[in-house]
Amino acid sequence: MVVTFRALPGRGPELIAWLRTFHPRLRAFAGFERIAVHHDQQDPDHVIELEQWRAADDHRAMVEAVAREGGWDTMAALLTSEPETRYLRADGGLTASPAVFTLPFHGGCACGAIRYTCDAAPLTVALCFCRDCQRASGGACSTGVVVPAESLRITGSPRRHITRSDLGSDAWRAFCGDCGSPLFAGNSRVPTFTVIKVASLDDPSPAEPRTQVWTMSAPPWAHIEPQLPNHAKNPSRR
């Protein structure tokens, strides 16, 4: 799930420090798996937290338990409004893949110069039809497996190409400098996530697409899957 916070002006760094102090406490709650927090690089008072729980009800139970103890009072004093929580399985834009990835899973480039291991279940698998993904893939779209960035361990040195997104952030793509295989992608606004290019997986069979983004850029002959959520841009840009 993704939880977003709007801190009072200039209080974003203080909010992040408080959240990181609170994080060790979460290990005592059933269903907790991992957590990471950062601020939007264009807006330090916009704080984004990626949380993984085995079930949405586990997270809700934690929030209620802490609330009963008054544990959110310090955090609330730093905010302009209530935090917004997006439970990814229920969100049409970030729907968790029903396929089971055996953890850890592995992949790499065609020539073997770059290898990686991921020890977290993917958050979703997306078809992206943006022009940058078209150029990187050589086709109508690129298929990406979205994972927590901290769960990815890479050996070798991928090259990067950076473009400017329509929001003004840096969108980067990583590839092998020897064989050219597309490997990863990400955006400076959300460094908590990394996208793994599905063709680089040793076993791509579990990576069934669950959503489609930037379909406004799809060429007229491209196939837009009618059974999947369809977003003209990114889900957050409705």
Side-chain angles (χ1 to χ4, degrees), residues 124-175:
T124 194
V125 180
L127 300 174
C128 182
F129 291 85
C130 79
R131 290 292 290 140
D132 285 338
C133 279
Q134 290 173 22
R135 294 185 179 100
S137 69
C141 68
S142 176
T143 308
V145 180
V146 183
V147 300
E150 65 176 15
S151 69
L152 195 60
R153 299 189 300 278
I154 302 168
T155 58
S157 300
R159 293 187 60 183
R160 282 195 179 197
H161 180 250
I162 299 175
T163 57
R164 185 68 65 179
S165 77
D166 69 332
L167 290 175
S169 56
D170 289 336
W172 59 267
R173 286 164 179 80
F175 56 95

Side-chain angles (χ1 to χ4, degrees), residues 6-151:
R6 170 60 61 181
L8 293 168
R11 305 292 292 276
E14 185 179 351
L15 174 61
I16 287 181
W18 185 91
L19 288 168
R20 287 176 174 162
T21 300
F22 180 80
H23 287 173
R25 185 177 173 187
L26 297 177
R27 297 189 182 96
F29 290 93
F32 173 74
E33 294 186 348
R34 67 172 67 225
I35 194 165
V37 63
H38 70 277
H39 64 77
D40 185 318
Q41 291 195 355
Q42 276 70 48
D43 184 356
D45 294 324
H46 181 206
V47 176
I48 304 167
E49 196 165 62
L50 168 66
E51 302 183 27
Q52 285 190 290
W53 296 76
R54 283 191 289 275
D57 284 345
D58 292 333
H59 177 261
R60 294 187 181 101
M62 179 276 295
V63 171
E64 292 172 359
V66 176
R68 287 194 296 270
E69 301 170 3
W72 301 124
D73 293 349
T74 300
M75 181 186 72
L78 299 171
L79 301 178
T80 62
S81 61
E82 289 287 324
E84 178 184 352
T85 301
R86 298 174 62 204
Y87 293 101
L88 302 185
R89 286 187 181 274
D91 184 275
L94 280 172
T95 305
S97 173
V100 176
F101 280 73
T102 300
L103 301 180
F105 60 92
H106 312 275
C109 66
C111 72
I114 312 295
R115 294 290 299 168
Y116 62 82
T117 296
C118 183
D119 63 8
L123 300 172
T124 194
V125 180
L127 300 174
C128 182
F129 291 85
C130 79
R131 290 292 290 140
D132 285 338
C133 279
Q134 290 173 22
R135 294 185 179 100
S137 69
C141 68
S142 176
T143 308
V145 180
V146 183
V147 300
E150 65 176 15
S151 69

